[in-house]
Amino acid sequence: MRKYFLTTAVALLATSTANAEALNSTVQVNAKVEYVTDMTCTPLNFGTIYLKSGNSKSTLDLEFMGTTGNIVEVTGASVGKCNFNPVYDDDGVYVNPNYIISGLMEELDRLSLYDNGEDIVAYVDNIRVHGDGNIYAQLTIEGDVPAQSYSGSFSITVLQ
C-alpha cells in the first residue's frame, strides 16, 4: 500500500509541475537620503480668547488676526517663528518654502486640541509656513467648549 501511495504522490507532483509557467523579473529599487538640520521655532500662540457665553463656532486666524463667530477679544496672540534661511523669489520677495507638517490628523489635516468624546471641538488647521520663517494657522472653537487652557504640537520640516 505504501508503495502505491508514494508512486501516486510522485505522479501527481510530476504532472502539476509539468504544466506550471515560470516567470522572472528584475525589480528596480531606489532611495534618496536627505539630511536635515535642527531648527528652533517659537510657539504658535493663540493667546487668551474671550468668547460670549453659549458661543457658536468661532475662528481666529493668526495671519491677519481675523476672527469670526463670538470672539469678543484676543490678547497675547503671536505667530510662530522658525529660524531657517529665508526663501526669496528672483525679485527679492519672500516666497513660501516647500515644507512637510507631521503630527496632524491625516484625514483632516488638523491638530486636535479638545475632543468631547464625540466630536473634535477645538482644533488648529490651515497651518502655513512663510518664506520669512513665520508660521500662521487658524484656531477653530466649536460651540460650548470648556473654559480652560488647550495645547498640542506638530513637527515642521522645511525643504531648502
Side-chain angles (χ1 to χ4, degrees):
M1 183 74 171
R2 221 184 234 177
K3 180 172 145 184
Y4 292 116
F5 174 74
L6 288 174
T7 305
T8 306
V10 170
L12 284 173
L13 288 174
T15 58
S16 63
T17 57
N19 297 329
E21 180 179 332
L23 301 174
N24 185 27
S25 180
T26 301
V27 176
Q28 184 67 36
V29 176
N30 298 312
K32 182 177 181 181
V33 174
E34 294 280 345
Y35 290 99
V36 298
T37 301
D38 286 338
M39 64 180 174
T40 58
C41 298
T42 62
L44 189 60
N45 185 359
F46 288 94
T48 301
I49 302 161
Y50 298 93
L51 294 169
K52 292 180 184 176
S53 293
N55 73 294
S56 61
K57 181 177 179 178
S58 302
T59 63
L60 167 60
D61 194 301
L62 289 181
E63 187 165 4
F64 304 107
M65 294 301 172
T67 63
T68 65
N70 295 123
I71 295 176
V72 176
E73 183 72 32
V74 177
T75 61
S78 61
V79 300
K81 178 85 172 172
C82 293
N83 67 337
F84 60 83
N85 294 328
V87 181
Y88 302 100
D89 66 10
D90 293 336
D91 297 324
V93 177
Y94 289 124
V95 294
N96 295 344
N98 292 324
Y99 58 90
I100 300 167
I101 296 178
S102 55
L104 304 179
M105 298 174 63
E106 289 182 31
E107 66 278 1
L108 300 173
D109 258 356
R110 47 174 80 150
L111 174 65
S112 173
L113 299 180
Y114 182 73
D115 181 337
N116 67 7
E118 294 179 17
D119 297 309
I120 299 168
V121 294
Y123 59 88
V124 175
D125 66 354
N126 198 14
I127 300 168
R128 302 156 328 264
V129 179
H130 286 214
D132 59 0
N134 285 342
I135 307 167
Y136 301 99
Q138 177 175 287
L139 171 67
T140 300
I141 303 168
E142 301 290 346
D144 294 324
V145 297
Q148 64 186 38
S149 294
Y150 298 97
S151 65
S153 64
F154 57 90
S155 297
I156 297 174
T157 303
V158 176
L159 310 172
Q160 293 189 305

